[in-house]
Amino acid sequence: MNHPTVLISEVGPRDGLQSVRATMSTPHKLAWIDALVAAGLREIEVGSFVPARRLPQLADTAEVVRHARRHPGVTVMALVPNLQGAQAALDAGVHKLTLPVSASTAHSLANVRRTPAQMVDEAAAIVRLRDERAPAVLVEAGLSTAFGCTLQGAVAEDDVVRLAEALVAAGVDECGLSDTTGMAHPAQVRRLFRRVRAAIGARTGAAHLHNTRGLGLANCLAAWDEGVRTFDASLGGLGGCPYAPGASGNVVTEDLVFMFEAMGIDTGIDLERLFAARAPLREGLPGEPLYGMTPEAGLPLGFLPATRQEHADVH
């Protein structure tokens, strides 16, 4: 029996660290990333190329990128809000650029000081730069506040679909949907991913969902049912969005991996090693609360990961 494979994209070293007041030292970051790779993570968002005065927690991103690139088979990703950030990211050697494009004008102005339409133009400029300098690098747009905004309120689904279409026309490789403010519910997730997939097809990218109101895993499962195969998550549930008040709570990587593995869906991640990756995170951010039901409860007696379930089915 062949199980489909899901890609878990770890965003804690960027989305998590930008949301805490303390700054993790560079050696601690590198040790944490090494532990994530040892657990089997194959895509890691290691930082953000923004001015250090805005996010001092991520001022060492170029050094972190260079270290992460030493791990073969790992896609090293960084967030870039503009062309200048993309230039710095390409200089550092990232494999993938992710661009935050908010569907909410209010959030877009607060987050990147540009309207959504201006961000589409910026995306086109970044794609041109990528084509000239590093054609193998992927450009992903994450549609922030796709499911609602704490600043604006409701976000029209038609606006999200049009924005995805405009970004694909601008040349981005993928458009994912982000529940930046933790407002989404499963029916909404199914509906919006279905509409976006109908509009842009295979360029539909990752689901970036939050657990702010306890619906993170339910929303991930809804996205899976609609054909999404890449999911952003953060170890220990670290992170949120500094420009979306009250939007704490990324989906916990450990709980998401457990859900998929228990369902027989291979993530390629070793859960025990993933739990162990919490240790360097704790050492680097002492006193910072970490979340996750599965690490606290432990694995069930007799639990088999997806690959061993496959062998059990055969025998």
Side-chain angles (χ1 to χ4, degrees):
M1 179 180 178
N2 292 321
H3 297 285
T5 299
V6 63
L7 175 64
I8 306 298
S9 182
E10 172 61 45
V11 301
R14 193 280 300 176
D15 195 356
L17 295 184
Q18 77 169 20
S19 304
V20 298
R21 291 186 179 182
T23 297
M24 182 185 280
S25 74
T26 303
H28 279 117
K29 286 184 186 180
L30 304 187
W32 182 25
I33 287 170
D34 291 346
L36 292 168
V37 173
L41 271 302
R42 290 168 290 136
E43 181 171 286
I44 304 175
E45 189 178 35
V46 301
S48 177
F49 286 90
V50 299
R53 67 181 182 277
R54 291 193 70 193
L55 285 176
Q57 304 95 319
L58 304 179
D60 58 355
T61 294
E63 183 178 350
V64 177
V65 167
R66 288 190 288 270
H67 176 86
R69 277 178 52 89
R70 298 176 188 173
H71 293 289
V74 175
T75 298
V76 179
M77 180 168 62
L79 182 139
V80 296
N82 51 38
L83 186 62
Q84 183 178 359
Q87 290 170 333
L90 293 175
D91 289 341
V94 300
H95 302 126
K96 188 173 183 178
L97 304 171
T98 182
L99 180 65
V101 184
S102 182
S104 155
T105 298
H107 181 265
S108 188
L109 290 171
N111 192 33
V112 293
R113 301 176 187 173
R114 288 178 173 84
T115 66
Q118 288 172 324
M119 286 303 293
V120 172
D121 293 339
E122 197 76 7
I126 289 171
V127 168
R128 288 193 296 271
L129 177 71
R130 182 277 309 271
D131 291 346
E132 294 168 4
R133 290 194 48 189
V137 170
L138 294 173
V139 177
E140 170 195 64
L143 272 63
S144 309
T145 63
F147 300 94
C149 176
T150 50
L151 301 174
Q152 173 181 303
V155 174
E157 291 184 3
D158 287 349
D159 291 346
V160 178
V161 175
R162 279 194 294 267
L163 188 56
E165 291 173 327
L167 286 161
V168 167
V172 304
D173 299 297
E174 299 174 358
C175 276
L177 300 181
S178 299
D179 183 23
T180 314
T181 56
M183 293 182 173
H185 57 78
Q188 183 186 19
V189 169
R190 287 194 184 93
R191 186 173 62 245
L192 190 52
F193 267 107
R194 188 178 304 144
R195 289 194 60 186
V196 169
R197 185 174 292 279
I200 66 171
R203 296 205 181 194
T204 306
H208 180 105
L209 302 168
H210 283 205
N211 197 45
T212 310
R213 292 171 176 82
L215 293 178
L217 289 183
N219 288 335
C220 285
L221 188 56
W224 168 268
D225 288 343
E226 289 301 322
V228 176
R229 294 297 178 264
T230 302
F231 293 84
D232 292 353
S234 178
L235 196 81
L238 196 69
C241 177
Y243 300 103
S248 61
N250 280 298
V251 167
V252 176
T253 305
E254 303 93 310
D255 291 342
L256 184 63
V257 171
F258 172 74
M259 181 184 79
F260 281 127
E261 291 287 339
M263 293 170 62
I265 298 166
D266 184 15
T267 65
I269 296 170
D270 183 303
L271 274 164
E272 295 288 1
R273 290 185 176 183
L274 190 64
F275 297 163
R278 291 166 72 98
L281 174 54
R282 281 198 182 96
E283 290 169 10
L285 289 176
E288 187 68 32
L290 300 184
Y291 304 95
M293 306 297 286
T294 309
E296 297 298 328
L299 298 177
L301 185 64
F303 173 78
L304 292 177
T307 50
R308 291 184 61 190
Q309 288 180 41
E310 182 176 349
H311 295 147
D313 290 340
V314 171
H315 300 294

